[in-house]
C-alpha cells in the first residue's frame, strides 16, 4: 500500500502533463515504477485509502486466463469493466473488425492462449508454461505475452499489462510482470491485485511455493479529471494494514480455472478501508 501511495504522490509532485490523443485528455505522467508484492507472506496489495472492488479485478484476470474476448463473458464472471472499451469507444465502433455488441476483439488471453505462429497455426503459451512449471522446468523463457503489434487493429485496446514472466528457484515460483501504460487511480488498483493473484494461482496449480512478484510499470499517469480527488481526498487519508487473500485450495489445475472457478473461490480477510471514491474513466 505504501508503494502505491508513494507512486501517486510522486506523480502529483513530479509528473509532467502529456496530451493523450486516444482519449483526448491530459495525463500527469511519470516514467518507470517498480512495485514488489510478497505473495509468499500473503502481503495482499489491496488499496485501503478507498474501497477497492477487488472481486472485479480477479474477474478480469480469470477472464484473461480463459482467453475471453467478449465483455458479456466478463460480466458473467462478475465485472463490467470491459463494457466501455467494447461498446463506447468510437474508433473501435468504426473498426470493421469489430464483431458486434460486446466484442473486444483479439486481446489479452485471446492472444496468449492462441498466439499465432509465423509458420501457421497457434501456440497456447499459458498451457505450455503450466506444463513446464508443473514438471519443475524453467527454460528461462516461461513468458506469457499478450503483445502482438500485428494484432493491434483487431482489438479494442492494446494490452496494458502485456507480459508475465515466471521463474523457478528451487521450489519457489517468482513472477515479473510488465505494464506499458497505467491509469494509477483506477487501473493500478486492479493491476496490483492481478499480479498478486496470478503468482498465487500459478504456484498453487503447479505445486510450488509462491515467492515475490515484481511489477514494472513504464508510463504511470493520472488523468486530468482524476487529479483533484487523488490529491485532495485519497492522498490525505492514512492507510490501514494490508488484508489477507484466501484462495480455495481445491483449485489444482488450469482446467479447474477454465471450467468451474468463480469469484466465490476467493475471499479477503481483515479488509479495513476508507470510503469509496468514484474516479472518472477515460474511454
Ligand atoms: N482509462 C482506462 N483505465 C483503465 O484502468 C482501464 C481501461 N481504460 N481500459 C481497460 C481496462 C478496464 N479497467 C477498468 C475499468 C473500470 C474500472 C472501474 O470503473 N473501477 C471502479 C469500480 C469497479 C467496480 O465497481 O467493479 C473502481 O472504483 O475501481 C476499473 C478498471 C482497467 N482498464
Ligand atoms: O489493466 C489495465 C488496462 C488499462 N489500463 C489503462 C492505462 C491507460 O490509461 C488506458 C489504456 O490506454 P492506452 O492509450 O492504450 O495506453 O488503460 C490500466 O491501467 N490497466
Amino acid at each position: 500500500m505504501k508503494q502505491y501511495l508513494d507512486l501517486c504522490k510522486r506523480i502529483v509532485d513530479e509528473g509532467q502533463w502529456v496530451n493523450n490523443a486516444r482519449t483526448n485528455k491530459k495525463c500527469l505522467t511519470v516514467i518507470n515504477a517498480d512495485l514488489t508484492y510478497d505473495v509468499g507472506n500473503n502481503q495482499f496489495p489491496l488499496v485501503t485509502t478507498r474501497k477497492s472492488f477487488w472481486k472485479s479485478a480477479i474477474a478480469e484476470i480469470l477472464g484473461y486466463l480463459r482467453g475471453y474476448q467478449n465483455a458479456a463473458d466478463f460480466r458473467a464472471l462478475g465485472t463490467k469493466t470491459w463494457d466501455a472499451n467494447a461498446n463506447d469507444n468510437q474508433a473501435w465502433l468504426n473498426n470493421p473488425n469489430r464483431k458486434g455488441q460486446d466484442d473486444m476483439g483479439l486481446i489479452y488471453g485471446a492472444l496468449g492462449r492462441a498466439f499465432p505462429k509465423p509458420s501457421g497455426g497457434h501456440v497456447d503459451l499459458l498451457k505450455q508454461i503450466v506444463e513446464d512449471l508443473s514438471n519443475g522446468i524453467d527454460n528461462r523463457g516461461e513468458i506469457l505475452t499478450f503483445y502482438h503489434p500485428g494484432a493491434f487493429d483487431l482489438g479494442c485496446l492494446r494490452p496494458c499489462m502485456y507480459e508475465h514472466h515466471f521463474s523457478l528457484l528451487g521450489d519457489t515460483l517468482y513472477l515479473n510482470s510488465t505494464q506499458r501504460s497505467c491509469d494509477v487511480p483506477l487501473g493500478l488498483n486492479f493491476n496490483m491485485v492481478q499480479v498478486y493473484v496470478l503468482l498465487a494461482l500459478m504456484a498453487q496449480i503447479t505445486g510450488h511455493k509462491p515467492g515475490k512478484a515484481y511489477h514494472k510499470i513504464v508510463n504511470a499517469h493520472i488523468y486530468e479529471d482524476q487529479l483533484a480527488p487523488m490529491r485532495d481526498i485519497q492522498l490525505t487519508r492514512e492507510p490501514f494494514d494490508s488484508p489477507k487473500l484466501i484462495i480455495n485450495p481445491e483449485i489444482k489445475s488450469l482446467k479447474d480455472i477454465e471450467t468451474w472457478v468463480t469469484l466465490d473461490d476467493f475471499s479477503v480477510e481483515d479488509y479495513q478501508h476508507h470510503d469509496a471514491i468514484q474516479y472518472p474513466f477515460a474511454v
Side-chain angles (χ1 to χ4, degrees):
M1 184 66 228
K2 184 172 181 308
Q3 313 173 79
Y4 178 76
L5 293 176
D6 287 348
L7 175 58
C8 295
K9 196 168 174 324
R10 187 178 136 214
I11 299 175
V12 169
D13 291 344
E14 301 167 22
Q16 291 187 33
W17 285 108
V18 177
N19 283 315
N20 178 248
R22 191 182 65 77
T23 56
N24 202 22
K25 287 187 183 182
K26 276 189 303 174
C27 292
L28 199 53
T29 305
V30 299
I31 300 301
N32 196 55
D34 292 287
L35 309 184
T36 302
Y37 316 123
D38 190 348
V39 184
N41 288 309
N42 207 339
Q43 294 286 308
F44 187 43
L46 194 61
V47 166
T48 60
T49 46
R50 74 178 178 101
K51 184 176 183 187
S52 176
F53 297 89
W54 59 270
K55 284 206 173 197
S56 260
I58 295 182
E60 280 192 351
I61 189 78
L62 287 178
Y64 302 155
L65 297 181
R66 287 181 178 178
Y68 284 175
Q69 52 189 133
N70 191 289
D73 290 331
F74 280 88
R75 283 199 298 280
L77 261 179
T79 186
K80 296 181 181 152
T81 47
W82 278 95
D83 289 8
N85 287 108
N87 299 315
D88 299 338
N89 178 279
Q90 204 52 50
W92 179 235
L93 294 175
N94 294 342
N95 187 322
N97 298 312
R98 181 175 179 266
K99 298 187 197 70
Q101 181 74 11
D102 286 328
D103 182 36
M104 295 156 60
L106 198 55
I107 58 161
Y108 286 92
L111 268 166
R113 300 301 311 267
F115 206 89
K117 298 208 285 190
S119 53
H122 301 93
V123 49
D124 183 342
L125 300 173
L126 181 60
K127 190 156 172 254
Q128 186 62 60
I129 293 168
V130 169
E131 256 171 50
D132 282 354
L133 298 177
S134 301
N135 291 313
I137 295 168
D138 168 4
N139 67 18
R140 304 193 290 199
E142 304 293 352
I143 298 175
L144 174 62
T145 185
F146 304 136
Y147 209 72
H148 191 326
F152 288 164
D153 61 336
L154 301 176
C156 65
L157 199 71
R158 293 168 298 164
C160 291
M161 211 151 67
Y162 65 89
E163 192 167 276
H164 303 282
H165 184 167
F166 296 91
S167 303
L168 268 180
L169 272 186
D171 59 357
T172 304
L173 187 66
Y174 294 82
L175 172 61
N176 287 71
S177 296
T178 311
Q179 180 161 3
R180 66 171 176 84
S181 171
C182 182
D183 173 346
V184 171
L186 276 178
L188 186 52
N189 175 47
F190 279 18
N191 295 134
M192 295 192 294
V193 169
Q194 291 164 347
V195 170
Y196 182 100
V197 167
L198 183 59
L199 178 56
L201 269 181
M202 288 290 278
Q204 185 165 316
I205 67 172
T206 63
H208 298 288
K209 287 197 266 191
K212 288 188 172 159
Y214 303 98
H215 183 181
K216 156 83 74 190
I217 297 164
V218 179
N219 182 306
H221 49 265
I222 297 176
Y223 286 93
E224 54 186 321
D225 47 8
Q226 300 170 328
L227 179 59
M230 173 57 79
R231 186 191 51 212
D232 304 336
I233 304 174
Q234 192 166 359
L235 278 175
T236 63
R237 295 173 170 177
E238 277 300 317
F240 295 104
D241 286 345
S242 80
K244 301 273 171 260
L245 177 73
I246 318 287
I247 300 180
N248 181 353
E250 290 308 312
I251 304 175
K252 294 199 165 107
S253 67
L254 184 54
K255 194 109 224 118
D256 292 344
I257 292 173
E258 287 165 353
T259 52
W260 57 261
V261 172
T262 70
L263 297 182
D264 293 340
D265 296 299
F266 301 84
S267 59
V268 167
E269 264 178 15
D270 301 327
Y271 184 30
Q272 272 185 284
H273 56 78
H274 291 265
D275 290 345
I277 300 175
Q278 270 200 338
Y279 280 104
F281 178 77
V283 186

